[in-house]
Amino acid sequence: MARRQTFWLHLLFLACWTSVGEAEYMKYKDPKQSINVRIKDLMDRMTLAEKIGQMTQIERKVASAQVMKDYFIGSLLSGGGSVPGPQASASDWVNMVNELQKGSLSTRLGIPMIYGIDAVHGHNNVYKATIFPHNIGLGATRQVDPALVKRIGEATALEVRATGIPYVFAPCIAVCRDPRWGRCYESYSEDHNIVQEMTEIIPGLQGDVPANFHKGVPYISGKVKVAACAKHFVGDGGTHNGINENNTIVNRDGLLSIHMPAYYNSIMKGVATVMVSYSSWNGVKMHANHDLVTGYLKDTLHFRGFVISDWQGIDRITSPPGANYTYSVQAGINAGIDMVMVPNDYSEYINALTSLVNKHVIPMSRIDDAVRRILRVKFTMGLFESPLADLSLVDQLGKKEHRELAREAVRKSLVLLKNGKSRNDSFLPLPKKAAKILVAGSHADNLGYQCGGWTIEWQGASGNITVGTTILGAIKTTVGHSTEVVYSENPDEKIVKDNGFSYAIVVVGEPPYTETAGDNLNLTLPDPGPSTIRTVCGAIKCVVIIISGRPVVIEPYVHLMDALVAAWLPGSEGQGVTDVLFGDYGFTGKLSRTWFKSVDQLPMNVGDMHYDPLFPFGFGLTTVPTTARLSSSSPAAVAAGAGAAAAATADIRKEAYWVVSLFLGLSMAWVSTYVL
């Protein structure tokens, strides 16, 4: 009898030990298991509160380790200008992100959060980061180096990871059809074909998809890569009169042929997330558009990453925003949004969504679909295995190689619109050893203006806002030691006429702006730009450099200029401008946008019936690199000038041929793109 009791006690102990062993083994924590197995195992263990927490993204300012733990928050973000502290170092960022991550890891299931940030032209929120040209400039580089944006993506990913962040809200793949739109500089081009080419930044950010890759599945290839976000789905660049967050009025064929193709390319390249646009399509808010978010993006294009809202995007489903918040949550989630950028009042969102699920207004299947997609991205990027960042990459922030890459991007993005007042009177490149030169204009020595919006602050800022080189600083280091450089932001006639200047460089343009604050119905060159051009260029030979996020009205002043350069928003490396201006490299950039004569022509895009631009889409003069021009009157200078003039003339002929060819090929391009 005693032996039997002992036997059964041993058996009971063995059963309990086995049960405990099984309980301790969690498949979702085992990297040897397939992602689908890990997702299922984890979701089987999750409560409704834990699932809804995963669908919630909040701003770092309202977050704490305790909030992350109590509400099971799935994601954090930094909005524009939201930083750990003034001029915070990479180490400061890493420590902040890790402290918040520890709150997530302390939850019952230990699901790591994912931290996102706007890194739209480099790691633009972070002091000392490399600031690359905005997308409109990168679109102008397309005929020189199609892989350039991929290298920029790689550098950006490294700098973002240096601060402990694994997720970026980039790239913007809008097709801007009207430069009056305040986000036009975030668009690579008015032509969807160029935007499609520029999605090559995605494998730069995330890594190249493997040969056996399944279309639609997100792909992020390791600790030096980040999850990307294609935005803003869909039609954000086509709103009426270019008004931000407005209505895109176009039939379905137009939407799919112009605004949708780059999403197809992004999904083919494994993009992890897609952000929904504030705008509407024919009166229907995109944040509430089930047909396009679920029906087209998820079901037709087979996108299997997660869909995220824009900042308070679901609030804006109603007018005024937030007028019926419960309805907005219902409409947004049922449309197919998986993660909501709340970003502040997370308890209201969580309570509303919980109530809607409990009342069966939102089905549990929709919640499970959302959470499955979010977890897929987190597992794919290795977040469960490496949830905490270390300091091993902090030296990548703003490093020399990245600044050299940005400098290369600047010189390849510059578009030469005029070179000489006649075909035989080439003005560029400039001689480095002139006796005395004038540098003028509001943008010549202002790094913040040079970088534009989305730099350190959401709206950008004026002045020495980060580490970089202004155009004036670059000029001073480029010209000969004996050349005197005189800087006057807005000189009067006496200064211009009485100083015997060899020539002048005038740098003017738009102040920084972002989103609705940048909407502009007249697109005039801000004061004192026009008066500076008239005063300087009316008296001495001059080149005008336009710093802007789009074409602006310049026709009234072009006749005064000896040369005209569109420099867009070049970012932190002003030396890229002087590299080309003084002939160390040639001009090669081509307009990614039509440059209009008058705003009365807008919207006007290549292929339109009444196409009559000041400078057509694809236009851009070229010059031959030279270091031989020692002075404006030397024999070498004359020879170089003649060569540049010949090159420019030949280039005009080529561009005319190219534009005609483009007209003839538009219909074929449309057909090839639309057949998805």
Side-chain angles (χ1 to χ4, degrees):
M1 184 72 176
R3 288 178 181 175
R4 282 184 182 178
Q5 287 177 338
T6 302
F7 170 78
W8 285 111
L9 285 171
H10 277 292
L11 192 62
L12 181 61
F13 173 78
L14 182 63
C16 291
W17 182 88
T18 304
S19 170
V20 170
E22 288 178 350
E24 290 180 348
Y25 174 65
M26 299 180 181
K27 291 181 180 179
Y28 77 90
K29 293 187 176 182
D30 184 357
K32 295 179 181 178
Q33 296 287 342
S34 72
I35 287 178
N36 286 338
V37 168
R38 298 178 77 181
I39 291 172
K40 184 180 186 307
D41 180 63
L42 179 51
M43 289 188 63
D44 286 346
R45 302 171 187 273
M46 294 174 73
T47 64
L48 176 61
E50 289 166 331
K51 290 178 178 179
I52 288 176
Q54 285 301 300
M55 298 171 66
T56 308
Q57 184 182 68
I58 68 174
E59 225 285 334
R60 55 160 289 279
K61 292 178 181 177
V62 299
S64 67
Q66 194 63 46
V67 167
M68 303 304 289
K69 180 180 180 180
D70 291 346
Y71 290 89
F72 314 105
I73 300 297
S75 184
L76 290 175
L77 84 150
S78 277
S82 178
V83 300
Q87 300 185 2
S89 68
S91 299
D92 293 333
W93 280 90
V94 169
N95 293 334
M96 178 199 70
V97 174
N98 281 349
E99 282 305 306
L100 295 167
Q101 183 69 279
K102 288 173 185 176
S104 296
L105 298 179
S106 69
T107 57
R108 181 178 70 94
L109 296 172
I111 304 173
M113 63 87 178
I114 183 173
Y115 198 110
I117 196 165
D118 288 287
V120 297
H121 62 141
H123 200 6
N124 49 264
N125 256 14
V126 177
Y127 184 72
K128 288 188 178 180
T130 308
I131 306 299
F132 293 92
H134 268 296
N135 288 356
I136 189 171
L138 296 182
T141 70
R142 64 195 181 278
Q143 295 180 340
V144 181
D145 186 357
L148 178 65
V149 291
K150 182 177 182 181
R151 291 188 284 142
I152 290 172
E154 292 168 348
T156 300
L158 274 171
E159 296 207 12
V160 172
R161 280 289 194 173
T163 58
I165 296 172
Y167 177 29
V168 298
F169 306 127
C172 178
I173 54 174
V175 182
C176 175
R177 305 290 285 176
D178 193 325
R180 292 174 291 186
W181 184 37
R183 305 192 77 157
C184 200
Y185 63 82
E186 297 184 57
S187 168
Y188 293 108
S189 178
E190 70 188 48
D191 177 15
H192 67 82
N193 291 291
I194 292 172
V195 179
Q196 288 176 266
E197 287 181 40
M198 295 299 146
T199 59
E200 193 63 15
I201 196 172
I202 292 170
L205 292 165
Q206 298 191 158
D208 292 304
V209 295
N212 60 348
F213 174 74
H214 293 287
K215 173 190 170 185
V217 177
Y219 181 79
I220 306 101
S221 67
K223 295 182 181 179
V224 297
K225 298 297 182 182
V226 294
C229 180
K231 63 183 189 182
H232 308 84
F233 187 85
V234 60
D236 51 336
T239 57
H240 181 63
N241 288 338
I243 299 171
N244 191 45
E245 304 181 22
N246 203 247
N247 191 25
T248 298
I249 305 169
V250 64
N251 62 26
R252 190 177 184 87
D253 286 349
L255 186 78
L256 297 185
S257 63
I258 296 172
H259 300 284
M260 190 67 77
Y263 287 95
Y264 176 77
N265 293 81
S266 300
I267 290 166
M268 291 295 288
K269 294 173 181 177
V271 73
T273 72
V274 170
M275 183 182 291
V276 181
S277 175
Y278 287 130
S279 59
S280 303
W281 175 47
N282 294 334
V284 179
K285 289 280 189 179
M286 283 305 311
H287 274 75
N289 196 316
H290 179 275
D291 174 45
L292 288 174
V293 176
T294 295
Y296 201 86
L297 178 62
K298 292 183 175 181
D299 295 344
T300 301
L301 296 184
H302 306 293
F303 174 62
R304 294 180 65 191
F306 68 79
V307 176
I308 186 169
S309 82
D310 207 331
W311 178 284
Q312 292 184 324
I314 62 168
D315 303 52
R316 304 188 198 190
I317 289 173
T318 61
S319 183
N324 188 338
Y325 190 70
T326 300
Y327 166 76
S328 294
V329 173
Q330 173 189 335
I333 299 299
N334 279 338
I337 295 171
D338 303 311
M339 182 181 284
V340 173
M341 192 183 293
V342 176
N344 296 314
D345 195 353
Y346 50 88
S347 60
E348 181 185 17
Y349 163 72
I350 289 171
N351 291 338
L353 182 52
T354 302
S355 176
L356 289 166
V357 174
N358 287 333
K359 292 177 181 178
H360 306 291
V361 176
I362 294 177
M364 197 66 203
S365 59
R366 175 74 272 275
I367 302 300
D368 287 342
D369 172 62
V371 176
R372 189 177 298 112
R373 290 167 177 274
I374 294 164
L375 294 178
R376 182 177 292 115
V377 171
K378 291 185 176 184
F379 279 122
T380 297
M381 67 195 307
L383 203 54
F384 280 78
E385 286 67 59
S386 302
L388 296 174
D390 57 40
L391 302 177
S392 62
L393 295 174
V394 294
D395 62 345
Q396 298 297 309
L397 187 70
K399 72 175 184 176
K400 181 180 178 181
E401 292 84 353
H402 295 169
R403 294 192 181 279
E404 286 299 317
L405 175 60
R407 181 174 173 176
E408 176 188 350
V410 172
R411 61 178 176 252
K412 289 179 175 178
S413 69
L414 303 176
V415 181
L416 181 57
L417 299 175
K418 180 179 180 180
N419 191 17
K421 292 187 176 178
S422 69
R423 291 187 177 184
N424 298 317
D425 180 32
S426 174
F427 186 63
L428 300 180
L430 297 171
K432 294 181 181 179
K433 293 191 176 182
K436 189 177 185 181
I437 65 174
L438 171 66
V439 179
S442 53
H443 289 55
D445 194 33
N446 192 315
L447 193 61
Y449 279 14
Q450 193 172 296
C451 292
W454 293 114
T455 312
I456 304 301
E457 299 289 344
W458 172 44
Q459 291 289 334
S462 175
N464 190 25
I465 61 173
T466 188
V467 174
T469 304
T470 67
I471 294 172
L472 175 64
I475 291 169
K476 289 180 176 179
T477 60
T478 301
V479 297
H481 295 299
S482 61
T483 300
E484 182 183 356
V485 178
V486 176
Y487 172 60
S488 177
E489 184 173 327
N490 189 24
D492 58 30
E493 288 187 19
K494 182 174 177 58
I495 293 174
V496 176
K497 291 180 178 180
D498 294 351
N499 278 276
F501 295 114
S502 303
Y503 57 81
I505 301 170
V506 179
V507 191
V508 294
E510 297 184 297
Y513 55 81
T514 302
E515 299 186 36
T516 303
D519 286 354
N520 189 329
L521 294 179
N522 57 55
L523 294 180
T524 52
L525 195 61
D527 291 329
S531 64
T532 304
I533 293 172
R534 289 192 185 99
T535 299
V536 177
C537 298
I540 56 177
K541 286 184 173 294
C542 77
V543 54
V544 175
I545 301 171
I546 303 292
I547 304 293
S548 67
R550 53 203 163 187
V552 291
V553 176
I554 57 172
E555 187 182 34
Y557 326 111
V558 173
H559 70 282
L560 296 170
M561 309 169 188
D562 292 276
L564 172 62
V565 177
W568 314 114
L569 298 169
S572 61
E573 306 311 305
Q575 198 77 48
V577 176
T578 55
D579 282 344
V580 183
L581 207 61
F582 290 94
D584 293 326
Y585 294 83
F587 280 93
T588 54
K590 308 295 178 185
L591 286 179
S592 60
R593 297 208 53 79
T594 297
W595 203 296
F596 57 87
K597 294 176 181 177
S598 164
V599 290
D600 296 335
Q601 297 174 297
L602 299 177
M604 178 177 62
N605 295 281
V606 63
D608 288 353
M609 289 289 291
H610 303 290
Y611 191 69
D612 182 30
L614 181 62
F615 300 106
F617 171 89
F619 179 80
L621 303 174
T622 59
T623 58
V624 177
T626 176
T627 55
R629 298 190 72 185
L630 304 180
S631 72
S632 58
S633 59
S634 68
V638 174
T649 302
D651 193 71
I652 291 171
R653 291 170 181 161
K654 288 179 183 178
E655 293 307 319
Y657 173 80
W658 188 89
V659 171
V660 171
S661 299
L662 180 65
F663 278 125
L664 296 175
L666 277 173
S667 58
M668 289 303 296
W670 182 89
V671 172
S672 65
T673 306
Y674 179 65
V675 182
L676 298 177

